[in-house]
Amino acid sequence: MKSLYKNDFLTLLDFEPEQIEYLINLAAELKAQKKAGIPHRHLEGKNVALIFEKTSTRTRCSFEVAAHDLGMQCTYLEPSGSQIGKKESIADTARVLTRMFDGIEYRGYGQEIVEKLAEYSTVPVWNGLTNEYHPTQILADFLTLKEKFGKLKGLTLVYMGDARYNMGNSLMIGCAKLGMNFVACSPKEYFPNAELVDKCSDIAAKTGATLKFTENTDDVKGADCIYTDIWVSMGEDPSVWKKRIDDLSPYQVNRKLMEKAGGQAVFMHCLPSYHDMNTSIGWEIGEKFGRTSMEVTDEVFESSQSIVFDEAENRMHTIKAVMLATLCEKF
């Protein structure tokens, strides 16, 4: 397997199946060490920059705790904490930060931004989320599924809802790379774009994966995993809520859908989730549209089939693996 040392981590399209599997296995090893209280400060003295144009609970905490566990210091640059793309170009930002830090994380908007950072940086750049891709989340999802089922190849993952953006795209890529069966279940206008589907189809032909795009919720039958995400992403105009609710309500993950999938199926969500009205935004949307939940019901979210918090914890372990593999030559 080709070493990941000094590599950027921008999209899973850039990696061979063996490299993705290696990161998942390394994450499992690091997780076991952390649980056993075994120190693994392999990157003592290094420093990383965390650029967040979109705020996040899980991504920030995962990168910070992972960095500290590895012996590193990190500097958090919040949306108002840097001049990236405003008073200073992305290229200049990269050339400044690369003189001070050993790695750079970016979470924000277009994929072209993190690609430009990587182009002008001489240290590894990691994608914490863009509009198009969310590769660190997929590693966490797949580590969680492997813990649950003991394997990945041959599993069937059904993504319910809007599959056009980072989560639908990245889950499809990950499944294609690792020989899993990917199903997007939504109205046709919410399917992934044709160009990416063609790329993933070529990959799937080599790994034994299958890709399916359906409007029929009966196609969840026999799935190993039912996955969903919020219907409106951060940064989108609130005016899109009505159309999304109208279009995607038939694809809500509820008890009836989980029963249709079967008792073997687990429920996953990258979070945050509007499964109840216990947030200000959830309450506001619920009041406006007369709903108590959006993409998933509270009954399913809190059920024994839900593994969302295992998944959330694994963000930290898989991000740790990515940083270690790209910053330490012996890994």
Side-chain angles (χ1 to χ4, degrees):
M1 184 195 79
K2 184 179 178 181
S3 173
L4 296 171
Y5 180 54
K6 292 187 176 180
N7 278 26
D8 300 313
F9 190 75
L10 309 180
T11 167
L12 293 181
L13 286 171
D14 297 335
F15 298 93
E16 296 300 319
E18 295 78 12
Q19 294 174 310
I20 299 171
E21 290 171 350
Y22 172 77
L23 288 171
I24 294 169
N25 292 334
L26 178 59
E29 181 182 337
L30 292 168
K31 181 176 181 177
Q33 290 177 5
K34 185 174 178 68
K35 298 291 186 184
I38 301 171
H40 39 277
R41 299 175 67 85
H42 304 292
L43 299 175
E44 195 81 51
K46 292 187 180 295
N47 294 277
V48 295
L50 309 179
I51 303 173
F52 278 66
E53 291 196 293
K54 286 185 178 180
T55 57
S56 169
T57 299
R58 279 151 301 284
T59 303
R60 177 180 177 179
C61 292
S62 295
F63 269 99
E64 289 191 348
V65 174
H68 294 154
D69 282 355
L70 291 169
M72 295 192 290
Q73 300 295 317
C74 54
T75 298
Y76 174 71
L77 299 171
E78 62 184 345
S80 61
S82 76
Q83 300 300 333
I84 184 170
K86 303 181 188 87
K87 294 182 179 179
E88 187 166 50
S89 71
I90 297 164
D92 289 356
T93 299
R95 287 180 288 190
V96 168
L97 295 181
T98 202
R99 300 293 185 96
M100 303 178 184
F101 294 96
D102 300 287
I104 302 168
E105 178 270 353
Y106 173 82
R107 176 185 171 92
Y109 296 96
Q111 180 72 10
E112 70 276 4
I113 299 174
V114 76
E115 299 277 357
K116 182 68 73 173
L117 279 171
E119 179 183 351
Y120 284 91
S121 174
T122 59
V123 300
V125 173
W126 310 298
N127 180 358
L129 174 142
T130 61
N131 293 338
E132 294 83 0
Y133 302 115
H134 198 358
T136 59
Q137 178 67 53
I138 306 313
L139 292 183
D141 296 338
F142 285 5
L143 172 59
T144 310
L145 286 172
K146 190 170 184 180
E147 290 173 339
K148 180 68 177 179
F149 292 101
K151 65 173 186 175
L152 290 172
K153 191 174 181 65
L155 294 182
T156 296
L157 183 149
V158 180
Y159 185 84
M160 304 294 300
D162 192 345
R164 299 171 298 173
Y165 299 121
N166 46 38
M167 284 310 304
N169 289 344
S170 295
L171 284 166
M172 179 172 63
I173 295 166
C175 287
K177 289 277 185 177
L178 296 189
M180 299 167 63
N181 305 312
F182 175 80
V183 180
C185 188
S186 68
K188 284 184 180 178
E189 67 178 287
Y190 293 90
F191 289 172
N193 77 75
E195 182 181 353
L196 182 59
V197 169
D198 287 343
K199 287 182 182 179
C200 289
S201 296
D202 290 342
I203 296 167
K206 300 174 184 176
T207 64
T210 64
L211 307 179
K212 184 174 184 177
F213 307 94
T214 180
E215 296 181 275
N216 188 351
T217 59
D218 286 343
D219 288 327
V220 306
K221 291 177 181 177
D224 299 293
C225 173
I226 302 296
Y227 202 116
T228 195
D229 191 8
I230 55 175
W231 290 338
V232 176
S233 298
M234 184 187 302
E236 289 192 273
D237 194 289
S239 64
V240 305
W241 264 111
K242 184 180 186 309
K243 177 171 171 52
R244 296 285 172 81
I245 290 172
D246 290 344
D247 291 347
L248 298 176
S249 289
Y251 301 91
Q252 182 192 59
V253 180
N254 50 38
R255 175 50 54 196
K256 182 178 178 181
L257 186 93
M258 293 302 293
E259 287 175 352
K260 192 180 292 188
Q264 79 292 334
V266 297
F267 170 72
M268 300 182 79
H269 192 304
C270 56
L271 303 183
S273 168
Y274 296 130
H275 60 95
D276 56 26
M277 297 176 67
N278 293 334
T279 63
S280 59
I281 295 176
W283 184 87
E284 181 182 346
I285 296 168
E287 283 286 294
K288 184 174 182 179
F289 296 102
R291 300 178 64 93
T292 57
S293 60
M294 295 294 166
E295 74 282 357
V296 59
T297 62
D298 193 57
E299 181 183 18
V300 170
F301 189 88
E302 298 290 354
S303 73
S304 60
Q305 288 176 283
S306 175
I307 54 174
V308 296
F309 295 110
D310 295 330
E311 183 185 2
E313 177 193 342
N314 282 338
R315 290 294 307 284
M316 187 265 291
H317 303 298
T318 47
I319 282 170
K320 188 186 296 184
V322 169
M323 291 196 292
L324 183 57
T326 56
L327 291 180
C328 186
E329 188 170 10
K330 71 178 183 178
F331 285 90

